[in-house]
Amino acid sequence: MKIAIPKERRPYEKRVAATPDTVKKYRALGYEVQVEAGAGAEASYPDEFYATAGANVIPDAATVLRDADIVLKVQRPMNEGEGRNEVGMIKSGAVLIGMLNPYGARGDLDAYARGNVTAMSMELMPRITRAQSMDVLSSQSNLAGYKAVLDAAEQFGRAFPMMMTAAGTVPPARVLVMGAGVAGLQAIATARRLGAIVSATDVRPVAREQVESLGATFVMVESEETKQAETSGGYAREMSEDYKRRQAELISETIKKQDIVICTALIPGRAAPRLVSEEMLRTMKPGSVIIDLAVEQGGNCALSEPGKIVEAFGVKIVGHRNMPSRIAVDSSALYARNLLNFMTLISAKEGGRLAIDWNDEIIRSITLSRDGGIIHPQFAQATAA
């Protein structure tokens, strides 16, 4: 069977779905691998590296896709009306695997079904022990949290650590991390390594121990509601308006003392919760920096804009798009390994062919379409409605 690795064409995307190292592993499993020329260029993987690893380097996307049995992508393929219909290039019966954004692009599911494409969305990977090595959200968020702190340091007009010099003492920067998921915890660890005084907030009480183990102070409104603040999948639930009000009051007092705020709060399938209001921004110290990792889902900060650095009330609000892509070499390497681990799960031990157990919890959780229809219960119901 043939695996296709097309070049990513969506704006702000520099990652690639396979590295030369994972190509070797696919070849060892018996697959033939086709890589579109230039697919790994922006992640520092030149075509000759793929050729040396055993891949066929093909000059154009149409040729790469038209006879591929498996298509590995980072982001969802371009659809009709987006300038290039990559979905239409995928042959009937092929398997498409990538971060397909089913919550934000539900119309694409109909296109997969019409084209008889078996589409599997890696963002829906269940958070169970067996699937940890395939969890793309964790691998990419980890790097996003790290890069967020580096971007904050670049925009901040002062040093992070306390410095005692003959000319006087430089006080340490104060950093508040909002959301203590994978990205938030990595942001805490990175800011601490740079010497900042770090505090963090989250609606899940279980996050307290993780935050404090990294040397940060936990800031949270305690209530009965917080006992049910975490879903079975390990994500935060959306809280009541009363809880949001009380948490906002606490954050309003905390944020006045901060130099840097890293916003990481996201709820799958929902707009990002608004955590930093315009009124809070007015109280922050001039020269403060906010990094909004949720900007592409509406933003945690009131005035953040996707792809822009906004200055308001003396505060810089950074809304970089696609943070993992800003560290493309490592994010590609981790993502490619996530895909390889998943491909190993669904492949026969030899012969370069698929052996998918459709009753496997992992497969059921991530498969969007199959045999010409949308089969994921959540999205099938939404489409019917």
Side-chain angles (χ1 to χ4, degrees):
M1 299 182 79
K2 293 181 180 179
I3 295 175
I5 314 295
K7 182 177 181 179
E8 298 295 322
R9 288 181 164 80
R10 292 196 175 276
Y12 306 99
E13 187 53 77
K14 297 180 180 179
R15 292 170 292 178
V16 63
T19 63
D21 182 62
T22 61
V23 166
K24 291 179 184 177
K25 301 293 197 307
Y26 291 131
R27 295 285 293 138
L29 287 171
Y31 291 106
E32 181 180 338
V33 183
Q34 301 183 152
V35 178
E36 184 182 354
E42 291 194 277
S44 299
Y45 298 114
D47 292 342
E48 53 266 32
F49 284 19
Y50 288 104
T52 301
N56 298 316
V57 179
I58 309 296
D60 63 286
T63 305
V64 169
L65 293 171
R66 70 186 176 198
D67 61 348
D69 303 292
I70 304 157
V71 179
L72 301 183
K73 290 274 291 155
V74 178
Q75 293 203 44
R76 61 191 176 90
M78 301 284 239
N79 208 333
E80 190 175 8
E82 293 184 301
R84 176 187 288 256
N85 186 7
E86 292 177 308
V87 176
M89 298 177 188
I90 300 173
K91 76 174 186 179
S92 175
V95 176
L96 169 66
I97 305 171
M99 292 189 286
L100 304 182
N101 189 20
Y103 292 113
R106 294 194 182 194
D108 284 9
L109 275 62
D110 294 322
Y112 304 145
R114 285 196 304 270
N116 191 30
V117 172
T118 298
M120 297 180 170
S121 189
M122 294 293 287
E123 308 103 302
L124 303 180
M125 189 66 62
R127 287 197 161 170
I128 58 176
T129 302
R130 197 163 57 89
Q132 284 181 348
S133 66
M134 313 168 202
D135 187 348
V136 297
L137 291 183
S138 291
S139 72
Q140 302 304 289
S141 296
N142 196 24
L143 289 169
Y146 165 78
K147 187 68 169 108
V149 176
L150 299 189
D151 285 345
E154 179 186 3
Q155 297 296 328
F156 191 46
R158 289 174 36 210
F160 264 55
M162 181 175 73
M163 296 182 183
M164 301 181 71
T165 75
T169 300
V170 175
R174 292 184 173 273
V175 176
L176 173 65
V177 178
M178 307 190 78
V182 174
L185 292 173
Q186 183 57 249
I188 292 168
T190 303
R192 287 278 295 154
R193 284 195 292 268
L194 291 177
I197 296 174
V198 184
S199 55
T201 181
D202 197 286
V203 298
R204 300 165 300 142
V206 69
R208 177 188 292 275
E209 183 178 348
Q210 297 169 313
V211 166
E212 293 178 347
S213 72
L214 293 171
T217 302
F218 193 57
V219 179
M220 177 188 179
V221 171
E222 302 281 358
S223 75
E224 285 297 313
E225 187 176 356
T226 58
K227 294 178 181 178
Q228 289 81 41
E230 187 173 26
T231 68
S232 58
Y235 299 100
R237 295 186 188 277
E238 188 166 15
M239 306 300 282
S240 69
E241 292 302 319
D242 179 64
Y243 182 88
K244 290 178 183 178
R245 177 186 57 77
R246 288 188 291 150
Q247 181 76 347
E249 290 172 357
L250 176 60
I251 296 304
S252 183
E253 288 302 311
T254 304
I255 210 168
K256 296 176 184 177
K257 308 166 188 174
Q258 306 304 313
D259 299 299
I260 292 167
V261 179
I262 310 289
C263 299
T264 74
L266 286 170
I267 300 171
R270 300 282 189 91
R274 184 57 50 82
L275 303 179
V276 181
S277 66
E278 186 172 334
E279 290 72 22
M280 293 180 190
L281 288 171
R282 292 176 184 273
T283 69
M284 294 185 71
K285 294 180 285 187
S288 298
V289 176
I290 293 179
I291 307 291
D292 194 345
L293 290 181
V295 68
E296 291 177 294
Q297 284 185 226
N300 294 148
C301 182
L303 300 182
S304 62
E305 295 185 38
K308 295 183 180 180
I309 299 176
V310 177
E311 288 203 40
F313 319 116
V315 178
K316 286 185 179 179
I317 307 164
V318 181
H320 291 316
R321 292 180 182 268
N322 196 347
M323 190 66 80
S325 183
R326 291 172 57 77
I327 188 167
V329 177
D330 287 331
S331 57
S332 294
L334 294 184
Y335 181 74
R337 287 177 204 149
N338 290 144
L339 288 183
L340 174 64
N341 292 332
F342 178 67
M343 281 292 297
T344 302
L345 172 71
I346 64 174
S347 297
K349 293 183 178 179
E350 56 185 25
R353 57 187 177 83
L354 295 176
I356 302 174
D357 177 3
W358 295 106
N359 293 317
D360 188 312
E361 178 185 359
I362 292 175
I363 307 303
R364 292 201 315 269
S365 297
I366 73 169
T367 304
L368 302 174
S369 61
R370 182 187 175 203
D371 296 332
I374 299 171
I375 66 167
H376 194 286
Q378 183 175 352
F379 301 104
Q381 291 170 6
T383 301

